[in-house]
Amino acid sequence: MSKIDTIIFDLGGVLIDWNPEYVYLNEFNGDRKKMQWFFDNICTNDWNENQDAGYPLAKATEERVAMFPEYENLIRMFYGRWTEMLGNEISGTVKILKRLIDRNSYKVVALTNWSAETFPIALNKFEFLQWFEGIVVSGEEKTRKPFDDIYYLTLNRYNIIAENAIFIDDNLRNIKAANNIGINGIEFKNPKQLIKALNSFNINI
């Protein structure tokens, strides 16, 4: 096993709790089935990820309203009430991040699928985002995970050797893409599981 010298963190779902349910569950009167249908068919994950890759939020919203005018109010909520979807930090993971940085033995960076238009809100809210050596924001780069180019961009920008790095993400798709170019991966489930997974790389937290 190569000596690990770099840890790459995803943000949403790993260090930051972001969930559109915080807005929509109430709008659907607690009916999860109807809410899930809306996410599967109207404001879909693929649609949101297109904005994570740099597509303008306002343009995306107007296009979706034109496609589904009967859902206009609900569609406009997605980015209009986006700040309400932004929960708190995932404190257990933030503690792990702090320990890794305090140890000063690892380069610690972040790689996130996030709209460039909304990321400043997170930067302002979460102090720990200042701890990273750098953050690659998909919306600023006009590409996103799981495409190879954003991983290579991260490696090159921060002088990272793929096999010496661990990438932590809650999306297995993104982990597999990292693995395909030689980056070690940990699929994040919860902070306790992350500690065990890091231990398997001889990183004791």
Side-chain angles (χ1 to χ4, degrees):
M1 185 185 292
S2 299
K3 177 169 168 52
I4 301 299
D5 59 21
T6 302
I7 315 291
I8 306 169
F9 278 87
D10 174 37
L11 297 179
V14 175
L15 285 156
I16 295 170
D17 175 23
W18 177 85
N19 197 328
E21 284 191 11
Y22 294 147
V23 167
Y24 283 99
L25 194 57
N26 186 58
E27 292 300 320
F28 284 99
N29 298 311
D31 190 328
R32 289 188 172 276
K33 191 173 180 182
K34 285 185 178 177
M35 179 185 70
Q36 193 57 51
W37 183 92
F38 179 79
F39 292 147
D40 288 343
N41 295 277
I42 311 296
C43 287
T44 65
N45 188 56
D46 285 346
W47 175 73
N48 181 50
E49 282 198 326
N50 195 45
Q51 284 67 266
D52 286 347
Y55 201 75
L57 304 188
K59 190 174 181 182
T61 299
E62 295 309 321
E63 289 172 352
R64 191 87 349 181
V65 168
M67 287 174 67
F68 305 103
E70 66 273 33
Y71 293 100
E72 178 174 1
N73 289 340
L74 289 169
I75 292 167
R76 293 193 185 283
M77 283 176 196
F78 198 92
Y79 295 116
R81 294 176 61 186
W82 185 90
T83 54
E84 296 173 50
M85 303 177 193
L86 193 61
N88 296 317
E89 66 181 44
I90 299 172
S91 60
T93 322
V94 173
K95 287 176 183 174
I96 294 168
L97 172 67
K98 181 80 162 57
R99 288 175 196 157
L100 288 168
I101 288 172
D102 285 349
R103 193 171 298 176
N104 206 28
S105 301
Y106 303 98
K107 184 180 295 184
V108 184
V109 301
L111 169 57
T112 183
N113 278 0
W114 206 303
S115 165
E117 295 178 61
T118 57
F119 191 65
I121 299 167
L123 271 178
N124 189 54
K125 180 172 182 175
F126 299 108
E127 182 187 356
F128 69 83
L129 293 177
Q130 312 300 326
W131 302 349
F132 290 101
E133 181 163 328
I135 302 175
V136 175
V137 179
S138 62
E140 294 173 0
E141 308 301 338
K142 303 294 192 284
T143 184
R144 63 172 176 80
K145 298 173 289 185
F147 301 124
D148 287 355
D149 52 352
I150 201 163
Y151 296 98
Y152 284 120
L153 184 153
T154 304
L155 296 177
N156 293 333
R157 181 171 295 171
Y158 299 108
N159 299 310
I160 299 166
I161 298 169
E163 56 266 31
N164 294 349
I166 299 172
F167 175 51
I168 302 162
D169 196 299
D170 63 320
N171 189 324
L172 183 58
R173 175 201 69 179
N174 297 337
I175 294 293
K176 287 179 175 177
N179 292 161
N180 286 340
I181 63 169
I183 303 170
N184 300 285
I186 294 173
E187 183 187 4
F188 178 83
K189 301 288 188 186
N190 56 64
K192 194 171 182 180
Q193 167 262 345
L194 177 57
I195 289 171
K196 287 183 179 178
L198 287 169
N199 286 346
S200 73
F201 286 95
N202 297 318
I203 298 171
N204 296 312
I205 300 298

PDB file of all heavy atoms in Angstrom, residues 125-150:
ATOM      1  N   LYS A 125     -21.308  30.414   6.147  1.00  0.00           N
ATOM      2  CA  LYS A 125     -21.955  29.742   7.287  1.00  0.00           C
ATOM      3  C   LYS A 125     -21.017  28.824   8.059  1.00  0.00           C
ATOM      4  O   LYS A 125     -21.114  28.724   9.287  1.00  0.00           O
ATOM      5  CB  LYS A 125     -23.172  28.944   6.786  1.00  0.00           C
ATOM      6  CG  LYS A 125     -23.916  28.214   7.902  1.00  0.00           C
ATOM      7  CD  LYS A 125     -25.226  27.603   7.423  1.00  0.00           C
ATOM      8  CE  LYS A 125     -25.951  26.927   8.569  1.00  0.00           C
ATOM      9  NZ  LYS A 125     -27.283  26.420   8.199  1.00  0.00           N
ATOM     10  N   PHE A 126     -20.105  28.152   7.348  1.00  0.00           N
ATOM     11  CA  PHE A 126     -19.312  27.095   7.983  1.00  0.00           C
ATOM     12  C   PHE A 126     -17.833  27.499   8.078  1.00  0.00           C
ATOM     13  O   PHE A 126     -17.116  27.497   7.084  1.00  0.00           O
ATOM     14  CB  PHE A 126     -19.449  25.789   7.200  1.00  0.00           C
ATOM     15  CG  PHE A 126     -20.857  25.273   7.120  1.00  0.00           C
ATOM     16  CD1 PHE A 126     -21.565  25.332   5.927  1.00  0.00           C
ATOM     17  CD2 PHE A 126     -21.490  24.751   8.235  1.00  0.00           C
ATOM     18  CE1 PHE A 126     -22.869  24.866   5.838  1.00  0.00           C
ATOM     19  CE2 PHE A 126     -22.794  24.282   8.166  1.00  0.00           C
ATOM     20  CZ  PHE A 126     -23.487  24.342   6.979  1.00  0.00           C
ATOM     21  N   GLU A 127     -17.404  27.794   9.296  1.00  0.00           N
ATOM     22  CA  GLU A 127     -16.028  28.241   9.522  1.00  0.00           C
ATOM     23  C   GLU A 127     -15.007  27.191   9.092  1.00  0.00           C
ATOM     24  O   GLU A 127     -13.925  27.524   8.589  1.00  0.00           O
ATOM     25  CB  GLU A 127     -15.839  28.580  11.004  1.00  0.00           C
ATOM     26  CG  GLU A 127     -14.450  29.104  11.340  1.00  0.00           C
ATOM     27  CD  GLU A 127     -14.236  29.260  12.837  1.00  0.00           C
ATOM     28  OE1 GLU A 127     -15.182  29.034  13.619  1.00  0.00           O
ATOM     29  OE2 GLU A 127     -13.092  29.578  13.218  1.00  0.00           O
ATOM     30  N   PHE A 128     -15.345  25.909   9.255  1.00  0.00           N
ATOM     31  CA  PHE A 128     -14.365  24.857   8.957  1.00  0.00           C
ATOM     32  C   PHE A 128     -13.976  24.804   7.478  1.00  0.00           C
ATOM     33  O   PHE A 128     -12.953  24.210   7.131  1.00  0.00           O
ATOM     34  CB  PHE A 128     -14.861  23.478   9.433  1.00  0.00           C
ATOM     35  CG  PHE A 128     -16.029  22.935   8.659  1.00  0.00           C
ATOM     36  CD1 PHE A 128     -15.828  22.276   7.458  1.00  0.00           C
ATOM     37  CD2 PHE A 128     -17.324  23.069   9.134  1.00  0.00           C
ATOM     38  CE1 PHE A 128     -16.901  21.761   6.738  1.00  0.00           C
ATOM     39  CE2 PHE A 128     -18.400  22.564   8.429  1.00  0.00           C
ATOM     40  CZ  PHE A 128     -18.178  21.914   7.220  1.00  0.00           C
ATOM     41  N   LEU A 129     -14.756  25.418   6.607  1.00  0.00           N
ATOM     42  CA  LEU A 129     -14.391  25.429   5.185  1.00  0.00           C
ATOM     43  C   LEU A 129     -13.107  26.227   4.947  1.00  0.00           C
ATOM     44  O   LEU A 129     -12.449  26.054   3.916  1.00  0.00           O
ATOM     45  CB  LEU A 129     -15.538  25.989   4.338  1.00  0.00           C
ATOM     46  CG  LEU A 129     -16.805  25.123   4.282  1.00  0.00           C
ATOM     47  CD1 LEU A 129     -17.893  25.814   3.474  1.00  0.00           C
ATOM     48  CD2 LEU A 129     -16.507  23.742   3.692  1.00  0.00           C
ATOM     49  N   GLN A 130     -12.741  27.068   5.927  1.00  0.00           N
ATOM     50  CA  GLN A 130     -11.482  27.823   5.813  1.00  0.00           C
ATOM     51  C   GLN A 130     -10.268  26.961   6.168  1.00  0.00           C
ATOM     52  O   GLN A 130      -9.131  27.375   5.947  1.00  0.00           O
ATOM     53  CB  GLN A 130     -11.514  29.051   6.741  1.00  0.00           C
ATOM     54  CG  GLN A 130     -12.772  29.895   6.651  1.00  0.00           C
ATOM     55  CD  GLN A 130     -13.027  30.460   5.277  1.00  0.00           C
ATOM     56  OE1 GLN A 130     -12.083  30.788   4.561  1.00  0.00           O
ATOM     57  NE2 GLN A 130     -14.286  30.569   4.898  1.00  0.00           N
ATOM     58  N   TRP A 131     -10.489  25.784   6.734  1.00  0.00           N
ATOM     59  CA  TRP A 131      -9.375  24.952   7.179  1.00  0.00           C
ATOM     60  C   TRP A 131      -8.664  24.237   6.032  1.00  0.00           C
ATOM     61  O   TRP A 131      -7.502  23.843   6.164  1.00  0.00           O
ATOM     62  CB  TRP A 131      -9.853  23.884   8.164  1.00  0.00           C
ATOM     63  CG  TRP A 131     -10.537  24.394   9.399  1.00  0.00           C
ATOM     64  CD1 TRP A 131     -10.597  25.693   9.840  1.00  0.00           C
ATOM     65  CD2 TRP A 131     -11.263  23.620  10.353  1.00  0.00           C
ATOM     66  NE1 TRP A 131     -11.321  25.775  11.000  1.00  0.00           N
ATOM     67  CE2 TRP A 131     -11.743  24.511  11.339  1.00  0.00           C
ATOM     68  CE3 TRP A 131     -11.560  22.263  10.460  1.00  0.00           C
ATOM     69  CZ2 TRP A 131     -12.493  24.074  12.426  1.00  0.00           C
ATOM     70  CZ3 TRP A 131     -12.318  21.821  11.545  1.00  0.00           C
ATOM     71  CH2 TRP A 131     -12.766  22.721  12.514  1.00  0.00           C
ATOM     72  N   PHE A 132      -9.353  24.042   4.929  1.00  0.00           N
ATOM     73  CA  PHE A 132      -8.783  23.262   3.831  1.00  0.00           C
ATOM     74  C   PHE A 132      -7.644  23.999   3.139  1.00  0.00           C
ATOM     75  O   PHE A 132      -7.659  25.232   3.030  1.00  0.00           O
ATOM     76  CB  PHE A 132      -9.862  22.939   2.787  1.00  0.00           C
ATOM     77  CG  PHE A 132     -10.889  21.955   3.256  1.00  0.00           C
ATOM     78  CD1 PHE A 132     -12.134  22.383   3.693  1.00  0.00           C
ATOM     79  CD2 PHE A 132     -10.613  20.590   3.259  1.00  0.00           C
ATOM     80  CE1 PHE A 132     -13.093  21.471   4.117  1.00  0.00           C
ATOM     81  CE2 PHE A 132     -11.563  19.665   3.687  1.00  0.00           C
ATOM     82  CZ  PHE A 132     -12.805  20.117   4.117  1.00  0.00           C
ATOM     83  N   GLU A 133      -6.699  23.221   2.631  1.00  0.00           N
ATOM     84  CA  GLU A 133      -5.650  23.817   1.802  1.00  0.00           C
ATOM     85  C   GLU A 133      -6.260  24.408   0.532  1.00  0.00           C
ATOM     86  O   GLU A 133      -5.773  25.396  -0.002  1.00  0.00           O
ATOM     87  CB  GLU A 133      -4.602  22.759   1.440  1.00  0.00           C
ATOM     88  CG  GLU A 133      -3.465  23.310   0.608  1.00  0.00           C
ATOM     89  CD  GLU A 133      -2.260  22.399   0.609  1.00  0.00           C
ATOM     90  OE1 GLU A 133      -2.012  21.713   1.619  1.00  0.00           O
ATOM     91  OE2 GLU A 133      -1.565  22.387  -0.413  1.00  0.00           O
ATOM     92  N   GLY A 134      -7.336  23.806   0.069  1.00  0.00           N
ATOM     93  CA  GLY A 134      -8.049  24.327  -1.092  1.00  0.00           C
ATOM     94  C   GLY A 134      -9.342  23.564  -1.279  1.00  0.00           C
ATOM     95  O   GLY A 134      -9.503  22.453  -0.757  1.00  0.00           O
ATOM     96  N   ILE A 135     -10.283  24.159  -1.996  1.00  0.00           N
ATOM     97  CA  ILE A 135     -11.566  23.525  -2.297  1.00  0.00           C
ATOM     98  C   ILE A 135     -11.825  23.637  -3.792  1.00  0.00           C
ATOM     99  O   ILE A 135     -11.792  24.740  -4.347  1.00  0.00           O
ATOM    100  CB  ILE A 135     -12.732  24.184  -1.522  1.00  0.00           C
ATOM    101  CG1 ILE A 135     -12.492  24.113  -0.007  1.00  0.00           C
ATOM    102  CG2 ILE A 135     -14.060  23.519  -1.877  1.00  0.00           C
ATOM    103  CD1 ILE A 135     -13.541  24.848   0.822  1.00  0.00           C
ATOM    104  N   VAL A 136     -12.072  22.491  -4.433  1.00  0.00           N
ATOM    105  CA  VAL A 136     -12.469  22.482  -5.836  1.00  0.00           C
ATOM    106  C   VAL A 136     -13.994  22.426  -5.880  1.00  0.00           C
ATOM    107  O   VAL A 136     -14.597  21.455  -5.425  1.00  0.00           O
ATOM    108  CB  VAL A 136     -11.850  21.284  -6.591  1.00  0.00           C
ATOM    109  CG1 VAL A 136     -12.373  21.223  -8.021  1.00  0.00           C
ATOM    110  CG2 VAL A 136     -10.322  21.380  -6.591  1.00  0.00           C
ATOM    111  N   VAL A 137     -14.600  23.488  -6.414  1.00  0.00           N
ATOM    112  CA  VAL A 137     -16.059  23.610  -6.497  1.00  0.00           C
ATOM    113  C   VAL A 137     -16.474  23.370  -7.947  1.00  0.00           C
ATOM    114  O   VAL A 137     -16.070  24.112  -8.845  1.00  0.00           O
ATOM    115  CB  VAL A 137     -16.518  25.003  -6.024  1.00  0.00           C
ATOM    116  CG1 VAL A 137     -18.039  25.141  -6.127  1.00  0.00           C
ATOM    117  CG2 VAL A 137     -16.054  25.252  -4.589  1.00  0.00           C
ATOM    118  N   SER A 138     -17.271  22.352  -8.163  1.00  0.00           N
ATOM    119  CA  SER A 138     -17.618  21.950  -9.528  1.00  0.00           C
ATOM    120  C   SER A 138     -18.188  23.097 -10.352  1.00  0.00           C
ATOM    121  O   SER A 138     -17.840  23.281 -11.524  1.00  0.00           O
ATOM    122  CB  SER A 138     -18.617  20.786  -9.489  1.00  0.00           C
ATOM    123  OG  SER A 138     -19.826  21.184  -8.848  1.00  0.00           O
ATOM    124  N   GLY A 139     -19.074  23.892  -9.752  1.00  0.00           N
ATOM    125  CA  GLY A 139     -19.707  24.978 -10.487  1.00  0.00           C
ATOM    126  C   GLY A 139     -18.727  26.022 -10.982  1.00  0.00           C
ATOM    127  O   GLY A 139     -18.968  26.669 -12.004  1.00  0.00           O
ATOM    128  N   GLU A 140     -17.623  26.184 -10.253  1.00  0.00           N
ATOM    129  CA  GLU A 140     -16.594  27.134 -10.686  1.00  0.00           C
ATOM    130  C   GLU A 140     -15.758  26.564 -11.823  1.00  0.00           C
ATOM    131  O   GLU A 140     -15.194  27.318 -12.621  1.00  0.00           O
ATOM    132  CB  GLU A 140     -15.697  27.497  -9.506  1.00  0.00           C
ATOM    133  CG  GLU A 140     -16.427  28.270  -8.406  1.00  0.00           C
ATOM    134  CD  GLU A 140     -15.578  28.475  -7.170  1.00  0.00           C
ATOM    135  OE1 GLU A 140     -14.407  28.022  -7.156  1.00  0.00           O
ATOM    136  OE2 GLU A 140     -16.081  29.088  -6.206  1.00  0.00           O
ATOM    137  N   GLU A 141     -15.683  25.243 -11.885  1.00  0.00           N
ATOM    138  CA  GLU A 141     -14.838  24.579 -12.887  1.00  0.00           C
ATOM    139  C   GLU A 141     -15.617  24.166 -14.127  1.00  0.00           C
ATOM    140  O   GLU A 141     -15.034  23.680 -15.093  1.00  0.00           O
ATOM    141  CB  GLU A 141     -14.171  23.344 -12.266  1.00  0.00           C
ATOM    142  CG  GLU A 141     -13.444  23.599 -10.956  1.00  0.00           C
ATOM    143  CD  GLU A 141     -12.334  24.628 -11.052  1.00  0.00           C
ATOM    144  OE1 GLU A 141     -11.824  24.849 -12.173  1.00  0.00           O
ATOM    145  OE2 GLU A 141     -11.962  25.203 -10.003  1.00  0.00           O
ATOM    146  N   LYS A 142     -16.963  24.310 -14.081  1.00  0.00           N
ATOM    147  CA  LYS A 142     -17.846  23.955 -15.211  1.00  0.00           C
ATOM    148  C   LYS A 142     -17.781  22.458 -15.551  1.00  0.00           C
ATOM    149  O   LYS A 142     -17.911  22.057 -16.697  1.00  0.00           O
ATOM    150  CB  LYS A 142     -17.517  24.792 -16.457  1.00  0.00           C
ATOM    151  CG  LYS A 142     -17.608  26.301 -16.222  1.00  0.00           C
ATOM    152  CD  LYS A 142     -19.038  26.731 -15.930  1.00  0.00           C
ATOM    153  CE  LYS A 142     -19.213  28.245 -15.980  1.00  0.00           C
ATOM    154  NZ  LYS A 142     -18.683  28.936 -14.801  1.00  0.00           N
ATOM    155  N   THR A 143     -17.558  21.654 -14.541  1.00  0.00           N
ATOM    156  CA  THR A 143     -17.619  20.200 -14.668  1.00  0.00           C
ATOM    157  C   THR A 143     -17.945  19.663 -13.283  1.00  0.00           C
ATOM    158  O   THR A 143     -18.070  20.437 -12.331  1.00  0.00           O
ATOM    159  CB  THR A 143     -16.326  19.607 -15.222  1.00  0.00           C
ATOM    160  OG1 THR A 143     -16.497  18.190 -15.413  1.00  0.00           O
ATOM    161  CG2 THR A 143     -15.132  19.852 -14.297  1.00  0.00           C
ATOM    162  N   ARG A 144     -18.097  18.346 -13.154  1.00  0.00           N
ATOM    163  CA  ARG A 144     -18.491  17.805 -11.855  1.00  0.00           C
ATOM    164  C   ARG A 144     -18.081  16.347 -11.756  1.00  0.00           C
ATOM    165  O   ARG A 144     -17.738  15.706 -12.745  1.00  0.00           O
ATOM    166  CB  ARG A 144     -20.009  17.947 -11.668  1.00  0.00           C
ATOM    167  CG  ARG A 144     -20.827  17.162 -12.687  1.00  0.00           C
ATOM    168  CD  ARG A 144     -22.301  17.157 -12.355  1.00  0.00           C
ATOM    169  NE  ARG A 144     -23.125  16.501 -13.354  1.00  0.00           N
ATOM    170  CZ  ARG A 144     -23.298  15.188 -13.473  1.00  0.00           C
ATOM    171  NH1 ARG A 144     -22.676  14.353 -12.654  1.00  0.00           N
ATOM    172  NH2 ARG A 144     -24.084  14.687 -14.417  1.00  0.00           N
ATOM    173  N   LYS A 145     -18.129  15.840 -10.512  1.00  0.00           N
ATOM    174  CA  LYS A 145     -18.021  14.399 -10.312  1.00  0.00           C
ATOM    175  C   LYS A 145     -19.237  13.742 -10.954  1.00  0.00           C
ATOM    176  O   LYS A 145     -20.322  14.323 -10.890  1.00  0.00           O
ATOM    177  CB  LYS A 145     -17.987  14.089  -8.804  1.00  0.00           C
ATOM    178  CG  LYS A 145     -16.817  14.686  -8.061  1.00  0.00           C
ATOM    179  CD  LYS A 145     -16.928  14.484  -6.546  1.00  0.00           C
ATOM    180  CE  LYS A 145     -18.010  15.324  -5.915  1.00  0.00           C
ATOM    181  NZ  LYS A 145     -18.048  15.226  -4.441  1.00  0.00           N
ATOM    182  N   PRO A 146     -19.130  12.602 -11.571  1.00  0.00           N
ATOM    183  CA  PRO A 146     -17.998  11.662 -11.562  1.00  0.00           C
ATOM    184  C   PRO A 146     -17.101  11.751 -12.804  1.00  0.00           C
ATOM    185  O   PRO A 146     -16.445  10.770 -13.129  1.00  0.00           O
ATOM    186  CB  PRO A 146     -18.720  10.309 -11.548  1.00  0.00           C
ATOM    187  CG  PRO A 146     -19.912  10.539 -12.431  1.00  0.00           C
ATOM    188  CD  PRO A 146     -20.325  11.981 -12.192  1.00  0.00           C
ATOM    189  N   PHE A 147     -17.065  12.909 -13.497  1.00  0.00           N
ATOM    190  CA  PHE A 147     -16.256  12.996 -14.713  1.00  0.00           C
ATOM    191  C   PHE A 147     -14.779  13.092 -14.357  1.00  0.00           C
ATOM    192  O   PHE A 147     -14.386  13.796 -13.422  1.00  0.00           O
ATOM    193  CB  PHE A 147     -16.704  14.188 -15.565  1.00  0.00           C
ATOM    194  CG  PHE A 147     -18.153  14.108 -15.961  1.00  0.00           C
ATOM    195  CD1 PHE A 147     -19.040  15.127 -15.659  1.00  0.00           C
ATOM    196  CD2 PHE A 147     -18.639  12.989 -16.625  1.00  0.00           C
ATOM    197  CE1 PHE A 147     -20.384  15.052 -16.016  1.00  0.00           C
ATOM    198  CE2 PHE A 147     -19.979  12.894 -16.988  1.00  0.00           C
ATOM    199  CZ  PHE A 147     -20.852  13.923 -16.672  1.00  0.00           C
ATOM    200  N   ASP A 148     -13.956  12.378 -15.136  1.00  0.00           N
ATOM    201  CA  ASP A 148     -12.524  12.284 -14.841  1.00  0.00           C
ATOM    202  C   ASP A 148     -11.846  13.636 -14.706  1.00  0.00           C
ATOM    203  O   ASP A 148     -10.941  13.810 -13.881  1.00  0.00           O
ATOM    204  CB  ASP A 148     -11.801  11.488 -15.939  1.00  0.00           C
ATOM    205  CG  ASP A 148     -12.075   9.996 -15.884  1.00  0.00           C
ATOM    206  OD1 ASP A 148     -12.760   9.550 -14.943  1.00  0.00           O
ATOM    207  OD2 ASP A 148     -11.595   9.282 -16.787  1.00  0.00           O
ATOM    208  N   ASP A 149     -12.279  14.605 -15.527  1.00  0.00           N
ATOM    209  CA  ASP A 149     -11.516  15.859 -15.577  1.00  0.00           C
ATOM    210  C   ASP A 149     -11.469  16.586 -14.241  1.00  0.00           C
ATOM    211  O   ASP A 149     -10.457  17.213 -13.904  1.00  0.00           O
ATOM    212  CB  ASP A 149     -12.021  16.782 -16.694  1.00  0.00           C
ATOM    213  CG  ASP A 149     -13.524  17.031 -16.651  1.00  0.00           C
ATOM    214  OD1 ASP A 149     -14.220  16.385 -15.855  1.00  0.00           O
ATOM    215  OD2 ASP A 149     -13.987  17.879 -17.440  1.00  0.00           O
ATOM    216  N   ILE A 150     -12.532  16.477 -13.433  1.00  0.00           N
ATOM    217  CA  ILE A 150     -12.501  17.203 -12.164  1.00  0.00           C
ATOM    218  C   ILE A 150     -11.556  16.527 -11.157  1.00  0.00           C
ATOM    219  O   ILE A 150     -10.951  17.195 -10.316  1.00  0.00           O
ATOM    220  CB  ILE A 150     -13.917  17.392 -11.568  1.00  0.00           C
ATOM    221  CG1 ILE A 150     -13.903  18.553 -10.566  1.00  0.00           C
ATOM    222  CG2 ILE A 150     -14.458  16.107 -10.931  1.00  0.00           C
ATOM    223  CD1 ILE A 150     -15.263  19.105 -10.226  1.00  0.00           C
TER     224      ILE A 150
END
